[in-house]
Amino acid sequence: MILRQFLHSDPVAASYLFGCGGKSAAAVVDPVGDIAPYLRVAEATGMRILYVVDTHIHADHISVGRALAAASGAEYLLFEGAEAGFPFLRAKDGDVLELGNMTMAVMHTPGHTPEHISLLVTDRTRASEPWFALTGHTLMVGDLGRTELATDAEAGARTLFSSVRRFKQLPDHVEVLPGAYSGSVCGRSLSGKPTSTIGFEKRFNRAFRIEDEGTFVATMVADTPPPPPDAARNRATNAGLVAAA
């Protein structure tokens, strides 16, 4: 297993490159900014990027996912229900993609956005159970991602509640690798530590701990951080529905 985390400050976000060094197969998740660092790391570790994944159609920045996929010869992957104006690899809930001795299983975890997915990653040379989860802007360290784009905020929060219940079914040892950390507008009480575990978040993440759906919905719709000023245009651009500025 090779794993690299890229932390960004403008916007505040986290990206990942991971894969199987022995079989030279890698994936990149939620790339931000210049694509060159991902290409350099792949070359330095002797891996070929097979998949570039955006966990959702982002609203806080312009994605470079498609550009990186084109430059590396990888497939660009989104959830099958994503409304986009370009072709992409349509991932279904439960799909398992091979990366040499590793697998990444797709979990549809809507709530932050309708098409949001998370990835459960297993290194079969070490265990048959997932080692970590790439949770995007759904489950983060210290909080959950705010719901956005829903005409009914309460309906969005109820959808997120269902996604949270799926995360709680994972073993406590599974590591949480989120798509954002403290300073991001996607959450309210995010930690500056950009990794955690399911078990730690069950004990100490206030929103993640709520078991009652009504209480959860009320909490998630109260004092919601405002979206970035260019959120609607960013999302439309990332979906290929308008041209990049």
Side-chain angles (χ1 to χ4, degrees):
M1 160 96 59
I2 293 173
L3 171 68
R4 299 290 186 271
Q5 184 183 56
F6 302 79
L7 299 180
H8 313 279
S9 59
D10 185 19
V12 175
S15 307
Y16 301 89
L17 182 149
F18 63 95
C20 173
K23 301 293 185 180
S24 304
V28 175
V29 176
D30 289 335
V32 175
D34 189 353
I35 67 172
Y38 308 102
L39 297 172
R40 283 198 299 268
V41 170
E43 182 180 11
T45 54
M47 295 193 295
R48 184 166 67 92
I49 300 173
L50 302 183
Y51 301 102
V52 177
V53 182
D54 270 323
T55 55
H56 59 294
I57 298 176
H58 297 275
D60 60 337
H61 67 275
I62 300 300
S63 170
V64 295
R66 283 189 289 158
L68 177 59
S72 61
E75 295 194 80
Y76 179 62
L77 184 150
L78 291 169
F79 180 63
E80 63 174 347
E83 298 181 1
F86 48 79
F88 59 92
L89 180 61
R90 295 179 177 271
K92 301 180 180 67
D93 183 69
D95 280 355
V96 178
L97 302 171
E98 303 276 339
L99 290 170
N101 292 319
M102 297 172 55
T103 62
M104 56 180 187
V106 177
M107 286 178 61
H108 184 211
T109 51
H112 178 64
T113 66
E115 76 290 338
H116 196 292
I117 59 172
S118 299
L119 300 171
L120 289 176
V121 179
T122 299
D123 181 349
R124 292 178 295 195
T125 66
R126 292 185 173 270
S128 59
E129 296 183 18
W131 193 345
F132 59 87
L134 296 157
T135 56
H137 291 179
T138 298
L139 171 59
M140 294 181 281
V141 183
D143 202 359
L144 302 170
R146 59 177 173 80
T147 59
E148 61 180 32
L149 306 170
T151 54
D152 183 340
E154 292 189 359
R158 284 193 293 272
T159 301
L160 181 61
F161 183 74
S162 296
S163 296
V164 166
R165 290 173 68 90
R166 293 192 70 184
F167 281 122
K168 288 180 178 178
Q169 295 171 4
L170 299 177
D172 283 0
H173 70 262
V174 171
E175 297 175 4
V176 174
L177 303 182
Y181 57 101
S182 179
S184 170
V185 297
C186 292
R188 293 166 291 194
S189 303
L190 302 183
S191 172
K193 180 180 181 295
T195 62
S196 186
T197 64
I198 292 292
F200 192 90
E201 296 308 300
K202 282 180 180 177
R203 293 186 63 185
F204 301 112
N205 183 322
R206 185 173 66 90
F208 194 58
R209 290 175 59 188
I210 299 173
E211 297 292 341
D212 176 73
E213 183 176 6
T215 303
F216 179 88
V217 170
T219 299
M220 293 308 299
V221 300
D223 303 320
T224 303
D230 296 329
R233 180 167 183 85
N234 286 347
R235 183 171 168 85
T237 301
N238 288 333
L241 302 179
V242 299

